[in-house]
Amino acid sequence: MSEGVIPLQAYLIVAALMFALGAWGVTIRRNAVVVFMCVELMINAVNLTLVAFSDYLPKAHGAGSGYAVVVIAIAAAEVAVGLAIVIAVFRTRRTVNIDEIDSMKG
Amino acid sequence: MNTAGSQLIIAAIVGLPFMSFLACVFLGRRLKENAQYVSILAVTISLVFSIFALLWVAGVLPASGGQISFSVPWIGLGEDATFPMGVQIGHWTAVMLVIVCFVSLMVQLFSGGYMAGHPRFAWYYAVVSIFTGSMLGLVVSPNFIQAYFFWELVGGTSYLIHGFYFERPAATYAAQKAFIVNRVADAALFIGIMVFWRETGTTSFSGIAEAAKAGIIGQTALTIGLLLVLLGATGKSAQFPLHVWLSNAMQGPTPLSALIHAAAMIVTGVYVISRTYDIFVQSPTAMEVVAIVGAFTAFMAATMALVQKDIKQIIAYSTISQFGYVMLGLGVGAFTAGVFHIYTHALFKSLLFLLAANLGYAVAGSSDMRVMGGLKSRMPVTYWAFVVAGLALAGVFPFSGFWSKDAVIASAYEEGHYVLFALALLTVGLTAFYIFRGIFICFHGEPRSEDARKASEVPVIMRVPVVILAFLSVVAGWVGIPRGFGLPVKDVFGDFVRPDRFVQSVTHATPGLFSFVLAGISVLFALIGLFLAYVFVLARPQWAEALGRRLPVVHDFLLNGWYFDLCYDRLFVRPAKALGRAVRDFDLREVGGLVGGFGRGAGWAGEKLRSLQTGGAQNYALFILFGAFVVAVVASAQYSFIAVIVLVAFGLAAAAVGSRL
């Protein structure tokens, strides 16, 4: 168990802010690449909470860190796929502005 | 009667017509007119085996006598509910078997000529076969369930008969009417069977009779059950108040009518009453109702027959009337007299119908008396056979109908049912009048149409059965000449078909009743009827016209069958139709409206929700986040202040996104 002077709440608050910032970005930024980066931000906020809990909850036996590693791996895969989609969209529509891509409109 | 071989013979009586039915249906196209030989062969063997059964129960054959009885399990529904399928042949049953097979054989012989060249020839014989088989199955039934099974089969196949000429709308209407009226009766019979089964735990005729004797079944339940069975019988035997289907049911081929009226369908009702007679006699109320229904029906149907314009209609009403006599006889406790009348009636009624078929054959398929006339010299065999059948029907001495009808009437008098006796006596006069009115109109006077002028006698194949039946219509009654008549002959029928000892002790009716005075009176009535028919049709036709003009109300009342159809139309048909229309409207408006409303509502909601599908990924992400937020709020309500902050943030975000879209 760590004897860190930084309390758990501090980690959580930082993570919440990161998450909120990411969510904010996902909802309002137009550039698809930036949106992806914001998604990464949200994912990393979650990773931060996982690692923090893993450190502060002895009974978890470090499970949170394991989850964080899995999440990072998935995020990497997701970005690979996501960027491929963005490139494909750019090739067909000559734009990566996410609000112009609304062909699923009902 | 326990060897497998003899049981097989008895089973073959019923089974052969069914096999013939299958052969005619499946090989009909290939057999064509040869179907008649298959069918006639089957019924002939059945007849021979029936005679064998008759000789067996009569004790003529070596090591015979008593009942033939065996059964196999049919439906098993647990310990208390096993229904066997079997055979029980007593004296009366054996006689009935012979009657059914014999009439069927005569009809089938006759039909070979009558139906020659018809495109559905094989189908015709299929129908005759299954009809005969169903009736035979009913006749041998030892229990109500099996009886009901064949009862329905008879009713169902009668639908095929009435609707045989389905090209004619009138025929399909008649078939449906007969079917529906009979459903009412069948339902009543079924409830009756259920009542017996509930009360006694058995459906076998003898079991129920024993239970009633032992007092296991209460008098009230017994009477209710019997009245329901009686209602069933009134439907099948066309007795009041369910007789209305029979006059329409003249649409089938005429020889088949002979079978329906003489040996099947219409006989089923009175036959079942005679078969369950040892149950019936245990309820005086039920017996009384049987007698009253019988006498009233006999009278009512005879009046309806007085003014009919169609010879087949007259004969049809006559059947209703004659089975009224049978019911009267059974109701007053004269078992032997009642079933004797079934036996004699079978012969002269089948003859009458075959003769009507002859007329139709000769006069271009019509049975309307207004196109006949003057056929006496052109069709002498038909004419004289008709006269014989008419005399037998009217009950003139010494024709067969006289002996049976007189026994019934005498029993009614002897048992003190004076009103019913008077009705029965009056009916004798009416009977003689209507049948001879028909004969005189058809055969005497001037031909009333071109067809009648060109008519000629029917082919030999059709004359043979007619002559046989005419001969039997004269002599068949002689086997039942009652004791005390003064002749040195035995009452063979009365000695043979006798109710069991128990019934005798309950009914007191003396078998073989006969009185010269009563017989004389009844023959007098018949002769008066005959004379009046002569006067009104031949001697003074203008009187009949004057009478019809003077009393048009009565004439129409009788011609329209006492307006029963009209009453039923107003009472049942129209309310049922109105109900049907109301239900249909409800279905269209309310149910349909509701369902349509749901559909339209869903469509409308979809249209409205469409605008939510913006196609923008960010928009969807916002919804997801909002949803996650709501879940979070619900899960942790105590941090609502954070929630408010986040909500405001979302509000701003939504506004920012919305402003760009």
Side-chain angles (χ1 to χ4, degrees):
Chain A
M1 184 186 207
S2 168
E3 293 177 5
V5 287
I6 307 170
L8 179 61
Q9 284 90 338
Y11 289 104
L12 293 184
I13 288 169
V14 169
L17 287 175
M18 277 169 71
F19 189 87
L21 203 60
W24 178 270
V26 166
T27 49
I28 70 166
R29 293 305 296 253
R30 305 172 77 168
N31 191 307
V33 179
V34 179
V35 168
F36 265 112
M37 287 159 74
C38 292
V39 170
E40 289 302 308
L41 205 57
M42 288 164 75
I43 290 173
N44 283 326
V46 172
N47 281 339
L48 182 59
T49 57
L50 284 170
V51 174
F53 277 125
S54 151
D55 214 22
Y56 276 83
L57 298 177
K59 284 185 181 170
H61 297 299
S65 314
Y67 281 125
V69 171
V70 172
V71 170
I72 289 166
I74 292 176
E78 186 204 313
V79 167
V81 174
L83 280 179
I85 294 174
V86 169
I87 289 166
V89 168
F90 182 75
R91 278 185 180 163
T92 54
R93 308 186 70 126
R94 290 282 139 194
T95 178
V96 289
N97 273 359
I98 207 160
D99 53 344
E100 290 171 26
I101 305 164
D102 58 354
S103 59
M104 296 285 277
K105 191 174 170 66
Chain B
M1 197 63 208
N2 289 318
T3 62
S6 47
Q7 290 187 0
L8 197 64
I9 284 177
I10 300 299
I13 297 175
V14 182
L16 280 170
F18 282 104
M19 288 180 201
S20 148
F21 164 73
L22 292 177
C24 290
V25 166
F26 290 114
L27 305 175
R29 280 177 201 282
R30 209 164 314 154
L31 285 172
K32 292 203 183 74
E33 307 232 338
N34 291 326
Q36 59 178 311
Y37 303 116
V38 176
S39 187
I40 287 173
L41 179 71
V43 79
T44 309
I45 300 173
S46 279
L47 177 62
V48 171
F49 287 173
S50 299
I51 292 170
F52 170 76
L54 180 68
L55 295 177
W56 183 281
V57 295
V60 178
L61 295 177
S64 65
Q67 283 202 339
I68 301 171
S69 170
F70 57 90
S71 67
V72 290
W74 180 39
I75 303 173
L77 304 171
E79 275 191 23
D80 299 330
T82 49
F83 300 109
M85 194 91 162
V87 163
Q88 189 183 10
I89 301 178
H91 288 186
W92 167 227
T93 310
V95 174
M96 195 68 201
L97 280 179
V98 175
I99 296 173
V100 174
C101 289
F102 179 74
V103 171
S104 179
L105 176 63
M106 288 298 121
V107 167
Q108 294 193 24
L109 284 176
F110 181 89
S111 304
Y114 185 82
M115 296 303 288
H118 194 278
R120 291 194 295 275
F121 191 89
W123 172 241
Y124 176 90
Y125 272 92
V127 172
V128 183
S129 288
I130 191 173
F131 201 53
T132 310
S134 312
M135 188 62 197
L136 291 170
L138 175 77
V139 167
V140 299
S141 296
N143 61 55
F144 267 118
I145 293 292
Q146 187 185 340
Y148 189 76
F149 180 88
F150 284 107
W151 171 288
E152 284 298 330
L153 213 47
V154 172
T157 42
S158 82
Y159 179 82
L160 301 179
I161 291 176
H162 304 321
F164 187 83
Y165 296 116
F166 54 79
E167 302 93 339
R168 290 190 219 143
T172 51
Y173 171 76
Q176 285 166 15
K177 186 175 179 185
F179 199 72
I180 289 166
V181 174
N182 271 294
R183 286 285 79 62
V184 178
D186 298 344
L189 174 67
F190 192 73
I191 298 167
I193 296 173
M194 288 301 115
V195 168
F196 285 133
W197 188 47
R198 247 187 88 88
E199 295 289 324
T200 65
T202 178
T203 57
S204 89
F205 296 147
S206 53
I208 295 169
E210 292 301 326
K213 276 182 230 171
I216 292 171
I217 176 169
Q219 185 63 223
T220 321
L222 183 70
T223 305
I224 290 171
L226 288 174
L227 287 179
L228 286 165
V229 172
L230 172 66
L231 189 55
T234 59
K236 273 281 180 295
S237 282
Q239 301 288 293
F240 171 82
L242 294 175
H243 60 274
V244 288
W245 62 271
L246 192 61
S247 58
N248 290 82
M250 285 299 106
Q251 297 291 340
T254 316
L256 274 183
S257 299
L259 189 59
I260 297 182
H261 284 251
M265 184 72 181
I266 304 175
V267 195
T268 25
V270 286
Y271 176 74
V272 164
I273 292 184
S274 74
R275 188 65 200 262
T276 57
Y277 201 60
D278 47 357
I279 312 173
F280 262 94
V281 291
Q282 300 189 48
S283 169
T285 320
M287 289 289 275
E288 195 68 34
V289 176
V290 172
I292 292 168
V293 167
F296 179 71
T297 308
F299 175 74
M300 179 189 76
T303 60
M304 290 172 183
L306 292 179
V307 295
Q308 296 302 319
K309 295 176 169 57
D310 189 307
I311 186 75
K312 278 168 79 179
Q313 294 282 359
I314 292 181
I315 307 174
Y317 278 117
S318 146
T319 305
I320 305 179
S321 174
Q322 294 303 305
F323 279 125
Y325 274 117
V326 176
M327 295 271 260
L328 172 64
L330 294 174
V332 299
F335 176 80
T336 307
V339 299
F340 190 34
H341 199 57
I342 296 181
Y343 157 75
T344 54
H345 175 265
L347 297 169
F348 61 73
K349 185 51 60 73
S350 54
L351 175 58
L352 280 172
F353 268 110
L354 294 187
L355 293 168
N358 275 357
L359 287 177
Y361 189 87
V363 191
S366 174
S367 57
D368 193 327
M369 297 195 297
R370 283 169 294 190
V371 301
M372 309 221 176
L375 296 171
K376 180 183 170 187
S377 52
R378 293 173 181 81
M379 305 171 74
V381 176
T382 305
Y383 172 70
W384 286 110
F386 222 124
V387 171
V388 166
L391 289 172
L393 174 68
V396 174
F397 177 86
F399 293 87
S400 63
F402 166 78
W403 304 102
S404 53
K405 189 182 286 185
D406 214 65
V408 169
I409 295 172
S411 304
Y413 180 79
E414 207 66 23
E415 291 295 307
H417 294 81
Y418 296 114
V419 179
L420 305 184
F421 164 75
L423 271 178
L425 208 54
L426 205 54
T427 307
V428 172
L430 296 175
T431 308
F433 178 83
Y434 68 66
I435 194 65
F436 277 96
R437 171 176 168 270
I439 292 173
F440 290 145
I441 293 180
C442 288
F443 291 98
H444 290 262
E446 287 299 305
R448 275 182 283 279
S449 71
E450 204 49 43
D451 286 325
R453 203 160 288 130
K454 285 186 295 193
S456 60
E457 191 57 274
V458 294
V460 180
I461 180 68
M462 291 162 72
R463 260 180 272 167
V464 172
V466 162
V467 172
I468 296 175
L469 282 170
F471 173 71
L472 288 175
S473 293
V474 181
V475 304
W478 297 353
V479 300
I481 293 176
R483 277 180 289 268
F485 188 62
L487 285 173
V489 287
K490 270 182 71 182
D491 182 3
V492 182
F493 191 89
D495 287 341
F496 186 61
V497 180
R498 220 187 307 188
D500 60 24
R501 198 158 298 166
F502 167 73
V503 172
Q504 286 175 17
S505 70
V506 175
T507 57
H508 319 292
T510 340
L513 218 53
F514 192 83
S515 124
F516 277 106
V517 181
L518 284 179
I521 292 174
S522 107
V523 171
L524 188 69
F525 267 80
L527 292 177
I528 291 172
L530 207 165
F531 176 70
L532 284 177
Y534 172 76
V535 169
F536 277 113
V537 178
L538 296 181
R540 296 278 183 278
Q542 64 271 25
W543 288 5
E545 273 172 37
L547 205 62
R549 234 180 295 117
R550 200 77 56 76
L551 300 168
V553 181
V554 177
H555 184 265
D556 288 349
F557 180 70
L558 296 179
L559 188 64
N560 292 311
W562 289 28
Y563 293 117
F564 266 103
D565 278 332
L566 197 68
C567 284
Y568 286 174
D569 185 57
R570 294 279 151 79
L571 265 176
F572 301 116
V573 178
R574 286 195 190 181
K577 274 187 179 169
L579 185 69
R581 265 196 296 274
V583 169
R584 185 191 61 188
D585 288 352
F586 179 80
D587 186 45
L588 282 179
R589 203 172 303 140
E590 315 302 330
V591 179
L594 199 65
V595 172
F598 272 122
R600 273 195 300 278
W604 175 83
E607 198 58 41
K608 293 289 154 192
L609 287 173
R610 223 178 110 171
S611 52
L612 286 179
Q613 302 288 351
T614 56
Q618 286 176 310
N619 209 228
Y620 297 158
L622 191 65
F623 290 143
I624 294 169
L625 287 169
F626 183 71
F629 166 71
V630 169
V631 171
V633 168
V634 171
S636 52
Q638 69 262 44
Y639 301 119
S640 49
F641 77 98
I642 303 177
V644 173
I645 293 171
V646 179
L647 189 62
V648 171
F650 272 125
L652 291 172
V657 173
S659 67
R660 269 194 292 141
L661 289 175

